[in-house]
Amino acid sequence: MSLKIALLPGDGIGPEVTDEASRILKYVAEHSGKSFSFSTHLIGGVAIDSAGTGLPEQTLEACLGANAVLLGAVGNPKFDGRRPQERPEAAILALRQALGGFANLRPAVCHNALTKRTPFQPERVKGANVLIVRELLGGLYYGEPRGFEASGNTAFNTMIYSKHEVERVARVAFDRARERKKKLASIDKANVLETSQLWRGVVNEVARDYRDVELEHVFVDAAAMRLAISPTSFDVMLCENLFGDILSDQAASIAGSLGLLPSATIGGKIDLYEPVHGSAPDIAGKGIANPIGAIASVAMLLRYTAKMEKEATEIEHAIEDALAAGARTKDIAGPGERVLSTREMGQAVEDALHEVRDRKHSYHAV
Ligand code: IPM
Ligand code: MN
């Protein structure tokens, strides 16, 4: 049976990076005997321009009929003056809600080859490997009421969480921690917010089913500081929606560039994969964006939706190898290093993937 993948390249650098990511998927399909079928649809600013809405009905239908969705990015500064509901970003929020995935997994890894490209002293960041589990369908992003008062001088949003929303995402975080270093930090602001008090209570209840996982509660402000000075002290970080949005950008400092970070959103009807970086309008169309975040998102797609763990790991090794061999896009290049285009970086990962697979075969042969 063929796996149906809906591609939503979106705005800015989205099309450039999704091109490379789907190229890697096609390579995997050719070499694994699995078949993938692709369809491409509009979302975000480009959809507003050509269809009058950020999430056209046809796009939504196609996503709901797919096995997985791969999204590039949405956002364009030309819509900056608009109210939140009329901006391209609203399309992504509506899509997330329709697909139903509530657990957004955002790994941030320090690649050995890039320790010097991070803002950290290499010995502080070496080995850092954090997984942020971000609650994606609740909190301030969706809470009602929201809006401006008639005067225009007052605006409000609502942070709201129910027990079942916290419980289901907490289980995902504990499950992931179990497969990793068995350490979970639940991030909250329970010294100030009721939602955080509820959050902490529910996480403690869920923890009874995971006695093998070491749980700690960390205030979000302290977590930000700890991430900035000792990133290796975290394994899995469980966050509500907004805290996870903020801390996952911060965690990019471990990797050295936002362009390297992938994400997977699971737990709903259809899984959604997107690099963490945005549309980066300043570099859009120049062919210089880093495709690794999108390519690593495809590895997560193979792992979680296609259940192709071997192929997922091979892609991750290929990324590691390409970086170790010196492949650099502009965002991660050091002084004097040769800079690759988006296309060349995609090719470097594909070549490395070819070698990873060859190496494996020759091991099997001896
Ligand atoms: C992200 C982005 C989105 C978010 C925006 C584009 C709506 O920043 O995926 O982190 O805030 O969730
Ligand atoms: Mn963000």
Side-chain angles (χ1 to χ4, degrees), residues 87 116 282:
R87 295 171 57 107
K116 288 216 184 75
D282 51 324

Side-chain angles (χ1 to χ4, degrees), residues 6 8 11 43 48 57 60 76 127 145 169 186 192 201 203 206 231 240 302 319 321 327 347 366:
L8 311 182
D11 299 321
I43 193 166
I48 297 179
E57 195 58 33
L60 184 57
N76 184 327
V169 73
S186 175
V192 177
V203 171
V206 174
E240 68 85 39
L302 293 174
I319 291 171
D321 289 354
Q347 192 60 51
V366 286

Side-chain angles (χ1 to χ4, degrees), residues 308-343:
M308 294 168 70
E309 176 60 38
K310 180 171 83 68
E311 286 77 4
T313 314
E314 284 171 359
I315 293 177
E316 286 160 356
H317 285 163
I319 291 171
E320 199 71 54
D321 289 354
L323 292 172
R328 300 285 184 271
T329 37
K330 189 157 181 275
D331 55 321
I332 50 173
E337 280 182 319
R338 178 165 170 253
V339 172
L340 301 185
S341 67
T342 308
R343 179 74 268 281

Side-chain angles (χ1 to χ4, degrees), residues 132-184:
I132 293 186
V133 178
R134 172 187 178 195
E135 198 292 322
L136 204 64
L137 292 184
L140 281 165
Y141 275 63
Y142 295 95
E144 296 283 347
R146 61 184 293 162
F148 283 91
E149 284 187 356
S151 68
N153 295 329
T154 303
F156 49 94
N157 291 93
T158 302
M159 189 187 256
I160 179 164
Y161 271 106
S162 309
K163 186 175 168 184
H164 91 276
E165 293 175 288
V166 182
E167 187 179 337
R168 62 187 186 173
V169 73
R171 288 199 183 277
V172 171
F174 275 108
D175 285 337
R176 296 272 80 84
R178 224 173 220 174
E179 291 175 357
R180 295 167 50 101
K181 292 188 207 119
K182 296 189 165 50
K183 278 171 53 183
L184 176 62

